[in-house]
Amino acid sequence: MQLIQQSPDIHAYLASDEAIDHWNPVVQETADALWTASGDAYSYAKAAFEFVRDTIPHSGDSGDPRVAWRASDVLTTRNGICHAKSHALVALLRAQGIPGALCYQRLADDDGTNPVVHGLVALRLPGGTRWSRLDPRGNKPGVDARFDLDREWLAFPVRPELGEIDYPELHAAPHPAVLKALQESADRPQLWRNLPTAL
């Protein structure tokens, strides 16, 4: 799939905002610690991905009812759904000068019902020209997302026959419908009802 930058300016994918708050001390401290342990952009990106994937449980797996959406809150509470974890990973990437984008899929149950928008990320190493999609959702039985910039190892490859979609756009900021659902949900059960079914 050809990924499409929503903004032609690569600097848009290094910016901070309310959700991707990489100026926050919690994000900065986490990024600095991961950089010290890695030392180059590729190794850092891999470490950041594995940190978010493996040390921040997806709240749907853990049962945590709290709704985190700001990157710093995700890192502080160690909690979030796919969208929140994506915000955290993009913030960590941008904190060390690696362009990061938010990407989306439309997924469904095995019979094509109950569609929902799923969040993941894309990164472009400094000096590179190619974007690579990654899914920091968190692995579990049947889900094996990996760090690979050449071949996609996403949590959920789409099934077009069930109406599932890979959206090709690379968003510099969270999609408004996703952000609204996160911000306006008091707990995870309400968030499940509020999440968009398509973009």
Side-chain angles (χ1 to χ4, degrees):
M1 179 181 66
Q2 181 68 36
L3 298 173
I4 302 165
Q5 284 185 212
Q6 272 207 324
S7 172
D9 184 358
I10 194 65
H11 293 97
Y13 299 95
L14 292 167
S16 62
D17 61 31
E18 188 179 15
I20 314 296
D21 59 340
H22 60 74
W23 45 264
N24 185 284
V26 172
V27 179
Q28 291 289 324
E29 289 165 14
T30 305
D32 289 345
L34 291 169
W35 182 267
T36 299
S38 55
D40 65 82
Y42 178 91
S43 299
Y44 172 79
K46 184 174 189 287
F49 167 78
E50 291 176 349
F51 177 83
V52 173
R53 182 192 66 186
D54 299 340
T55 72
I56 301 171
H58 187 290
S59 58
D61 298 339
S62 69
D64 193 325
R66 296 173 296 170
V67 177
W69 56 270
R70 189 177 284 114
S72 57
D73 292 339
V74 176
L75 294 174
T76 299
T77 63
R78 296 293 173 98
N79 159 66
I81 67 164
C82 58
H83 300 291
K85 293 183 66 166
S86 294
H87 297 171
L89 179 53
V90 168
L92 289 172
L93 293 170
R94 293 181 183 183
Q96 294 294 347
I98 299 172
L102 297 161
C103 307
Y104 300 97
Q105 297 173 310
R106 182 182 190 262
L107 302 176
D109 289 344
D110 289 339
D111 61 358
T113 62
N114 299 313
V116 68
V117 173
H118 173 64
L120 52 153
V121 308
L123 69 83
R124 195 171 109 177
L125 291 178
T129 58
R130 184 174 177 274
W131 288 92
S132 300
R133 291 194 308 167
L134 303 167
D135 193 335
R137 174 232 181 268
N139 290 339
K140 62 179 185 176
V143 175
D144 183 24
R146 303 181 194 177
F147 183 88
D148 192 324
L149 301 187
D150 298 314
R151 175 187 172 191
E152 286 191 343
W153 289 86
L154 303 180
F156 306 108
V158 299
R159 301 167 294 181
E161 68 276 11
L162 297 178
E164 295 185 337
I165 299 168
D166 266 324
Y167 294 106
E169 294 84 9
L170 298 168
H171 296 259
H175 191 282
V178 170
L179 191 58
K180 182 175 188 286
L182 288 163
Q183 291 175 329
E184 295 183 357
S185 298
D187 56 26
R188 189 170 41 82
Q190 185 180 13
L191 177 59
W192 278 179
R193 296 191 296 271
N194 290 347
L195 282 172
T197 59
L199 297 182

